[in-house]
Amino acid sequence: SLMEQLTFFHDHTVMILSMITIMVAYIMMTLTKNKYINRYLLEGQTIELIWTVMPAITLIFIALPSLRLLYMIDEINNPSITLKVIGHQWYWSYEYSDFSNTEFDSYMKPVNEMNKNEIRLLDVDNRTVIPMNTQTRVVVTAADVLHSWAVPALGIKIDAVPGRLNQGTMNI
Protein backbone atom coordinates (compact mmCIF):
# COMPACT_ATOMS: atom_id res chain seq x y z
CA SER A 1 0.00 0.00 0.00
CA LEU A 2 2.93 2.38 0.63
CA MET A 3 4.34 1.84 -2.85
CA GLU A 4 0.87 2.48 -4.29
CA GLN A 5 0.67 5.77 -2.38
CA LEU A 6 4.19 6.70 -3.58
CA THR A 7 3.10 6.07 -7.16
CA PHE A 8 -0.01 8.21 -6.72
CA PHE A 9 2.08 11.04 -5.27
CA HIS A 10 4.52 10.79 -8.18
CA ASP A 11 1.66 11.00 -10.68
CA HIS A 12 0.13 13.96 -8.78
CA THR A 13 3.43 15.87 -8.83
CA VAL A 14 4.10 15.11 -12.49
CA MET A 15 0.64 16.44 -13.42
CA ILE A 16 1.28 19.70 -11.56
CA LEU A 17 4.72 20.10 -13.14
CA SER A 18 3.43 19.33 -16.62
CA MET A 19 0.65 21.93 -16.25
CA ILE A 20 3.26 24.51 -15.16
CA THR A 21 5.51 23.61 -18.10
CA ILE A 22 2.67 23.86 -20.63
CA MET A 23 1.51 27.19 -19.19
CA VAL A 24 5.02 28.70 -19.24
CA ALA A 25 5.64 27.43 -22.79
CA TYR A 26 2.32 28.91 -23.94
CA ILE A 27 3.12 32.29 -22.35
CA MET A 28 6.58 32.33 -23.91
CA MET A 29 5.21 31.49 -27.35
CA THR A 30 2.54 34.19 -27.18
CA LEU A 31 5.09 36.75 -25.97
CA THR A 32 7.40 36.02 -28.90
CA LYS A 33 4.58 36.31 -31.44
CA ASN A 34 2.78 39.32 -29.88
CA LYS A 35 3.94 42.76 -31.01
CA TYR A 36 1.67 44.74 -28.72
CA ILE A 37 2.84 45.78 -25.23
CA ASN A 38 0.48 46.83 -22.47
CA ARG A 39 2.20 49.33 -20.21
CA TYR A 40 -0.20 48.70 -17.31
CA LEU A 41 0.38 44.93 -17.44
CA LEU A 42 4.12 45.31 -16.85
CA GLU A 43 3.75 47.58 -13.80
CA GLY A 44 1.16 46.81 -11.21
CA GLN A 45 0.51 45.50 -7.74
CA THR A 46 -2.10 43.02 -8.95
CA ILE A 47 0.15 41.09 -11.31
CA GLU A 48 2.95 40.99 -8.72
CA LEU A 49 0.52 39.62 -6.16
CA ILE A 50 -0.65 36.96 -8.62
CA TRP A 51 2.83 35.74 -9.56
CA THR A 52 3.81 35.62 -5.90
CA VAL A 53 0.73 33.82 -4.59
CA MET A 54 0.35 31.25 -7.39
CA PRO A 55 3.73 29.51 -6.79
CA ALA A 56 3.01 29.44 -3.05
CA ILE A 57 -0.32 27.73 -3.66
CA THR A 58 1.36 25.29 -6.06
CA LEU A 59 3.97 24.40 -3.43
CA ILE A 60 1.22 23.78 -0.87
CA PHE A 61 -0.51 21.39 -3.31
CA ILE A 62 2.75 19.44 -3.55
CA ALA A 63 3.86 19.70 0.10
CA LEU A 64 0.70 18.53 1.88
CA PRO A 65 0.45 15.11 0.17
CA SER A 66 4.21 14.72 0.56
CA LEU A 67 4.08 15.28 4.32
CA ARG A 68 1.16 12.88 4.71
CA LEU A 69 3.11 10.24 2.81
CA LEU A 70 6.26 10.78 4.90
CA TYR A 71 4.28 10.23 8.11
CA MET A 72 2.64 7.12 6.63
CA ILE A 73 6.05 5.63 5.80
CA ASP A 74 7.43 6.21 9.32
CA GLU A 75 4.33 4.89 11.08
CA ILE A 76 4.77 1.59 12.94
CA ASN A 77 1.55 -0.31 13.61
CA ASN A 78 2.12 -3.03 16.21
CA PRO A 79 4.30 -5.39 14.11
CA SER A 80 3.79 -9.14 14.28
CA ILE A 81 7.30 -10.06 13.14
CA THR A 82 10.65 -8.34 13.56
CA LEU A 83 13.37 -9.00 10.99
CA LYS A 84 16.86 -7.84 11.92
CA VAL A 85 19.11 -7.21 8.92
CA ILE A 86 22.87 -6.73 9.32
CA GLY A 87 24.92 -5.56 6.35
CA HIS A 88 28.43 -6.95 6.00
CA GLN A 89 31.11 -6.24 3.41
CA TRP A 90 29.94 -8.86 0.89
CA TYR A 91 26.77 -10.38 2.36
CA TRP A 92 23.71 -9.77 4.54
CA SER A 93 22.84 -11.50 7.84
CA TYR A 94 19.20 -11.98 8.80
CA GLU A 95 17.74 -12.74 12.24
CA TYR A 96 14.16 -13.70 13.03
CA SER A 97 14.34 -13.02 16.77
CA ASP A 98 10.60 -13.54 17.38
CA PHE A 99 10.72 -17.26 16.56
CA SER A 100 13.43 -19.48 18.05
CA ASN A 101 16.28 -17.08 17.15
CA THR A 102 16.62 -18.16 13.53
CA GLU A 103 19.73 -16.65 11.93
CA PHE A 104 21.28 -17.11 8.50
CA ASP A 105 23.64 -15.39 6.08
CA SER A 106 22.75 -14.51 2.51
CA TYR A 107 25.57 -14.43 -0.06
CA MET A 108 25.39 -13.49 -3.73
CA LYS A 109 25.57 -16.49 -6.03
CA PRO A 110 28.74 -16.80 -8.11
CA VAL A 111 28.18 -16.61 -11.86
CA ASN A 112 29.29 -20.22 -12.42
CA GLU A 113 26.61 -21.54 -9.99
CA MET A 114 23.66 -19.63 -11.45
CA ASN A 115 20.73 -21.07 -13.39
CA LYS A 116 19.42 -19.56 -16.63
CA ASN A 117 16.47 -17.78 -14.97
CA GLU A 118 18.51 -16.10 -12.21
CA ILE A 119 19.75 -12.52 -12.34
CA ARG A 120 23.46 -11.82 -11.89
CA LEU A 121 24.38 -9.76 -8.78
CA LEU A 122 20.80 -10.02 -7.46
CA ASP A 123 20.25 -13.71 -6.70
CA VAL A 124 21.44 -15.13 -3.40
CA ASP A 125 21.93 -18.56 -1.87
CA ASN A 126 19.53 -18.01 1.09
CA ARG A 127 16.48 -15.85 0.42
CA THR A 128 14.55 -14.08 3.14
CA VAL A 129 10.99 -15.30 3.59
CA ILE A 130 8.40 -12.85 4.89
CA PRO A 131 4.72 -13.79 5.33
CA MET A 132 1.95 -11.98 3.47
CA ASN A 133 -0.72 -9.84 5.18
CA THR A 134 1.49 -9.47 8.25
CA GLN A 135 2.86 -6.20 9.58
CA THR A 136 6.64 -6.67 9.60
CA ARG A 137 9.20 -4.43 11.29
CA VAL A 138 12.64 -4.39 9.66
CA VAL A 139 15.56 -3.29 11.86
CA VAL A 140 18.67 -2.56 9.78
CA THR A 141 22.26 -1.98 10.85
CA ALA A 142 25.74 -2.54 9.43
CA ALA A 143 28.78 -4.30 10.81
CA ASP A 144 31.50 -2.52 8.85
CA VAL A 145 30.60 0.08 6.20
CA LEU A 146 27.49 1.93 4.95
CA HIS A 147 24.95 -0.23 3.13
CA SER A 148 21.46 0.25 1.77
CA TRP A 149 18.79 -2.43 2.20
CA ALA A 150 16.02 -1.97 -0.35
CA VAL A 151 13.03 -3.75 -1.85
CA PRO A 152 11.81 -1.33 -4.56
CA ALA A 153 8.60 -3.24 -5.29
CA LEU A 154 7.50 -2.71 -1.67
CA GLY A 155 8.60 0.92 -1.57
CA ILE A 156 11.10 0.36 1.24
CA LYS A 157 14.72 1.50 1.40
CA ILE A 158 16.62 1.70 4.67
CA ASP A 159 20.22 2.80 5.10
CA ALA A 160 22.45 0.52 7.17
CA VAL A 161 24.89 2.54 9.27
CA PRO A 162 27.41 0.96 11.66
CA GLY A 163 26.44 1.58 15.28
CA ARG A 164 22.91 2.78 14.46
CA LEU A 165 19.60 0.91 14.23
CA ASN A 166 17.24 2.13 11.52
CA GLN A 167 13.79 0.66 11.24
CA GLY A 168 10.98 0.48 8.74
CA THR A 169 7.75 -1.39 8.28
CA MET A 170 6.23 -3.29 5.43
CA ASN A 171 3.07 -5.25 4.75
CA ILE A 172 3.23 -7.56 1.75
Side-chain angles (χ1 to χ4, degrees):
S1 62
L2 288 177
M3 189 60 195
E4 185 179 33
Q5 292 295 320
L6 284 169
T7 305
F8 289 154
F9 174 69
H10 172 264
D11 295 344
H12 170 76
T13 308
V14 166
M15 284 302 295
I16 290 174
L17 291 176
S18 62
M19 287 190 299
I20 291 171
T21 304
I22 290 170
M23 186 177 74
V24 168
Y26 173 74
I27 290 172
M28 288 175 63
M29 291 301 290
T30 55
L31 283 177
T32 57
K33 300 201 185 288
N34 189 4
K35 295 183 179 156
Y36 302 112
I37 296 175
N38 187 351
R39 182 171 65 106
Y40 298 110
L41 187 63
L42 297 177
E43 298 175 5
Q45 298 293 324
T46 309
I47 191 70
E48 288 181 9
L49 180 70
I50 289 172
W51 71 47
T52 303
V53 170
M54 289 302 287
I57 291 172
T58 305
L59 288 176
I60 289 172
F61 276 115
I62 294 174
L64 290 179
S66 172
L67 289 174
R68 185 183 68 83
L69 192 58
L70 282 173
Y71 282 112
M72 277 178 51
I73 289 173
D74 282 342
E75 185 178 334
I76 297 183
N77 295 331
N78 206 9
S80 302
I81 296 175
T82 300
L83 173 66
K84 184 176 180 186
V85 182
I86 303 169
H88 298 277
Q89 188 78 32
W90 295 104
Y91 63 98
W92 291 92
S93 295
Y94 295 95
E95 297 177 11
Y96 293 99
S97 57
D98 295 337
F99 306 107
S100 70
N101 289 333
T102 304
E103 300 178 10
F104 62 93
D105 294 333
S106 180
Y107 293 91
M108 281 190 309
K109 279 190 174 179
V111 178
N112 57 353
E113 295 179 11
M114 294 180 66
N115 297 330
K116 294 283 187 192
N117 59 347
E118 294 176 335
I119 302 172
R120 187 176 75 89
L121 299 178
L122 289 179
D123 277 309
V124 293
D125 56 354
N126 292 324
R127 294 183 178 181
T128 305
V129 178
I130 300 171
M132 291 181 66
N133 295 326
T134 304
Q135 191 72 24
T136 306
R137 174 179 40 210
V138 182
V139 179
V140 181
T141 188
D144 45 16
V145 295
L146 296 174
H147 297 281
S148 183
W149 189 84
V151 183
L154 297 177
I156 187 168
K157 179 179 182 288
I158 305 170
D159 291 330
V161 181
R164 170 177 276 177
L165 290 175
N166 292 330
Q167 72 176 356
T169 60
M170 61 182 163
N171 191 356
I172 304 173

